[in-house]
Amino acid sequence: ISSYKIASAIESSPTIFNNTLYIGSYDGKVYALSASSKEPVWAFSTGSPVVSKPAISKGLLYVSSTNGYLYALNAKDGGLYWKVKLEGFLKASPAVYKNNVYICDSKGYVYSISSFSGKINWKIKTKGSILASVGISDGIVYVPSGDGYLYAFNAVKGTPLWKFGTTSPVFSSPVINNGVVYFGAENGEVYAIK
């Protein structure tokens, strides 16, 4: 058993790629650690707690912070590639799909952002806070919202496709398997939608 001590609490789940572990912390930093030696490779400070799981694609690490910024960092050295300020704070983890990053915020917005430029392709507002991550499959983005609905949007254009209502807030990240969308709600129900 080995460990590396970070100065603050950790709520973020780690991402591992190419023998490097990436993880956020309440001290506002995202750390890159060697998965074999546990020694630090680099650290990048956002200035506010990072509670979400980073996402990595094509050499870029995407990090959402509670300061409302989404960051794209060079995964090798932690250099800032771009950052974009969103409407609310970010607790949800980013998801990458076909050269776009999908992220939700506390004010109920879901965004599609170019993974290379940081340009916002589209954003749509729901009526509740979104604290969980989206699910994406076959060109459809599934969005859980505190307003009690699970939404489905076209990943490219953001066109609303449908929404499914529950009797309580939805703070569970959806999982898609064999065309079925699974998620839970605050009412204790687990739903499967096809």
Side-chain angles (χ1 to χ4, degrees):
I1 298 174
S2 61
S3 66
Y4 175 77
K5 177 66 175 176
I6 291 174
S8 192
I10 298 171
E11 185 177 326
S12 166
S13 297
T15 294
I16 298 179
F17 183 75
N18 279 354
N19 199 45
T20 303
L21 183 147
Y22 303 93
I23 193 164
S25 171
Y26 267 78
D27 64 6
K29 295 179 181 179
V30 58
Y31 293 86
L33 308 173
S34 168
S36 54
S37 70
K38 308 301 184 294
E39 290 300 312
V41 178
W42 54 259
F44 177 89
S45 179
T46 72
S48 296
V50 176
V51 299
S52 59
K53 178 180 180 179
I56 190 167
S57 178
K58 298 180 180 179
L60 293 178
L61 186 76
Y62 302 96
V63 178
S64 56
S65 174
T66 52
N67 63 8
Y69 278 94
L70 176 68
Y71 299 84
L73 308 176
N74 184 310
K76 289 185 178 180
D77 60 18
L80 179 64
Y81 195 70
W82 55 255
K83 66 178 181 177
V84 60
K85 183 73 167 73
L86 305 180
E87 298 286 344
F89 72 80
L90 304 179
K91 187 173 182 181
S93 300
V96 184
Y97 180 77
K98 292 190 175 180
N99 298 327
N100 293 303
V101 185
Y102 297 86
I103 186 73
C104 304
D105 70 19
S106 62
K107 291 192 175 180
Y109 286 95
V110 55
Y111 304 81
S112 167
I113 299 169
S114 168
S115 58
F116 300 119
S117 70
K119 177 185 176 183
I120 297 176
N121 301 314
W122 54 260
K123 71 175 184 179
I124 297 174
K125 193 176 192 305
T126 69
K127 294 181 179 180
S129 293
I130 305 177
L131 305 180
S133 306
V134 303
I136 310 175
S137 180
D138 295 329
I140 300 175
V141 182
Y142 300 96
V143 180
S145 177
D147 64 10
Y149 285 90
L150 180 78
Y151 294 83
F153 298 102
N154 178 280
V156 176
K157 298 181 178 180
T159 308
L161 301 176
W162 53 260
K163 63 180 182 179
F164 176 85
T166 72
T167 58
S168 66
V170 181
F171 296 133
S172 165
S173 298
V175 172
I176 303 95
N177 184 57
N178 293 328
V180 181
V181 185
Y182 300 90
F183 68 98
E186 294 290 287
N187 59 9
E189 297 283 348
V190 178
Y191 297 89
I193 302 175
K194 187 172 184 179

